[in-house]
Amino acid sequence: MGWFIASKLVIPILVGGVYSSFFNNLPKNFWGSFTTAGLLFVTVALAGFLSIAPLEDFKGEWPLVLRQRQDAYYRSSSYVLEKILQELPYGLMGALGFGIITYFVIGLKMTPYAFFFYVLSSFVVNMVSTAIAFGVASNIHIDFLPQAICTVWNTLNILVSGFFLPKCQIPKWWSWLYWISYQQWTWSALMLNQYGEQSGTEAAVADGQCEQSFDSGAKCSDGMGSLLNRLPMLFQSVGFNKGGNQCTAMNNFTLNMFNLGSGTHSNQWLCLLYAAASLPVFLVLFYIGVWRSTRNKA
């Protein structure tokens, strides 16, 4: 139980503290925006890998589950429901702890709407990742194989997330995974939350105060950074981006750089909904694994 609580609460909070020590007070300029996109991506990918650790706890209780199911103590659906309900408070507290530590220290969009959506997205990706781990472990009972499969699956989701490879560069034979990847949809939702207008406009952007991040001498604004900081305004001047100050232009430029902000990737709530749609799929897989395994043992 102690290891379970540590993996669900302590580790996310510790990792959040480490992230904050590296990415504190990110600027709003080109390099700051690119780094923020990477941080949001790591936030999503982290949930997938952290869900693998509690599988040891799941494997430890599996023999007891088999015996109790043989004695008809409960149904397969009751066990699946109990496991998921058990995960809900830990998933929520882990997301909230990670969010509070990282959000304000890093300097993400300072609106209540954006903070709430950030925590909610972290919670959703935590729960989907947990359901995937349970779905795999309940169907495969060979030592280390569930962990290996979950690692491969998370890696594949990372590769098609749109951060390393834009959608147009993903090979056709992997394009199907792009559209069903919960990590891709969650990262897209977080990017729209940070750089889109749906979650509001923070005061520093509205009054232009954030333009200080683009001045010579500001963090990551000298050398090549000075040239890259001018690109969004250049694109805006020729009609590629909407009007606005330098900070607004950088936000629009960042979304366009990752092919976000239009079509199926224009609404952050829809993106999060598509990510959450994976949850019932893997819960059904979890149920099938429990039902099939215990039925065969009976």
Side-chain angles (χ1 to χ4, degrees):
M1 190 63 178
W3 166 245
F4 176 83
I5 295 175
S7 65
K8 289 296 180 181
L9 296 180
V10 179
I11 294 179
I13 292 174
L14 287 178
V15 172
V18 173
Y19 283 179
S20 299
S21 68
F22 275 95
F23 302 106
N24 62 88
N25 195 27
L26 289 176
K28 305 294 184 181
N29 55 29
F30 179 88
W31 289 120
S33 298
F34 190 82
T35 304
T36 300
L39 173 71
L40 296 176
F41 164 77
V42 172
T43 299
V44 174
L46 175 68
F49 288 108
L50 285 183
S51 67
I52 298 176
L55 286 182
E56 290 299 319
D57 181 74
F58 179 84
K59 288 164 58 179
E61 70 180 22
W62 188 248
L64 178 62
V65 173
L66 294 179
R67 291 195 300 268
Q68 292 177 339
R69 279 284 294 140
Q70 290 174 20
D71 295 333
Y73 281 5
Y74 45 76
R75 298 177 178 178
S76 300
S77 56
S78 300
Y79 175 72
V80 171
L81 181 61
E82 183 271 335
K83 289 296 291 183
I84 293 302
L85 290 178
Q86 175 184 310
E87 292 290 333
L88 287 176
Y90 292 110
L92 181 58
M93 288 187 290
L96 188 60
F98 181 85
I100 291 175
I101 291 175
T102 58
Y103 198 89
F104 301 102
V105 175
I106 292 169
L108 299 177
K109 181 184 284 189
M110 292 300 172
T111 67
Y113 188 127
F115 173 71
F116 168 78
F117 190 86
Y118 177 82
V119 174
L120 178 62
S121 298
S122 298
F123 171 69
V124 168
V125 75
N126 283 344
M127 294 307 300
V128 174
S129 299
T130 299
I132 291 173
F134 285 163
V136 173
S138 63
N139 283 275
I140 300 174
H141 310 293
I142 302 174
D143 285 344
F144 303 111
L145 190 55
Q147 290 92 325
I149 291 176
C150 287
T151 300
V152 172
W153 178 250
N154 284 321
T155 303
L156 289 173
N157 274 269
I158 287 172
L159 293 175
V160 300
S161 64
F163 179 72
F164 290 117
L165 285 174
K167 182 175 64 175
C168 57
Q169 292 265 342
I170 296 174
K172 293 181 179 180
W173 51 87
W174 284 116
S175 60
W176 61 272
L177 183 55
Y178 173 87
W179 293 109
I180 68 171
S181 170
Y182 76 104
Q183 293 192 11
Q184 180 271 127
W185 288 115
T186 307
W187 179 68
S188 298
L190 287 174
M191 287 290 289
L192 291 170
N193 182 59
Q194 176 66 24
Y195 296 109
E197 299 176 352
Q198 193 173 355
S199 57
T201 303
E202 55 185 332
V205 174
D207 59 21
Q209 184 179 357
C210 63
E211 291 186 349
Q212 297 175 2
S213 296
F214 298 83
D215 295 339
S216 179
K219 186 187 294 185
C220 299
S221 288
D222 292 326
M224 183 62 70
S226 177
L227 176 61
L228 294 173
N229 287 340
R230 293 185 173 90
L231 283 178
M233 293 301 291
L234 175 63
F235 278 93
Q236 183 172 289
S237 66
V238 295
F240 280 100
N241 293 328
K242 301 177 183 178
N245 59 29
Q246 198 167 6
C247 302
T248 303
M250 182 60 72
N251 289 345
N252 295 329
F253 179 82
T254 303
L255 289 178
N256 290 333
M257 184 167 56
F258 293 105
N259 294 320
L260 299 173
S262 61
T264 55
H265 293 78
S266 59
N267 187 298
Q268 63 190 63
W269 285 102
L270 279 179
C271 288
L272 188 60
L273 178 62
Y274 294 149
S278 296
L279 182 60
V281 174
F282 287 100
L283 287 181
V284 170
L285 181 64
F286 184 20
Y287 169 81
I288 292 173
V290 174
W291 175 81
R292 180 183 58 82
S293 300
T294 55
R295 178 173 177 268
N296 290 341
K297 297 290 183 181

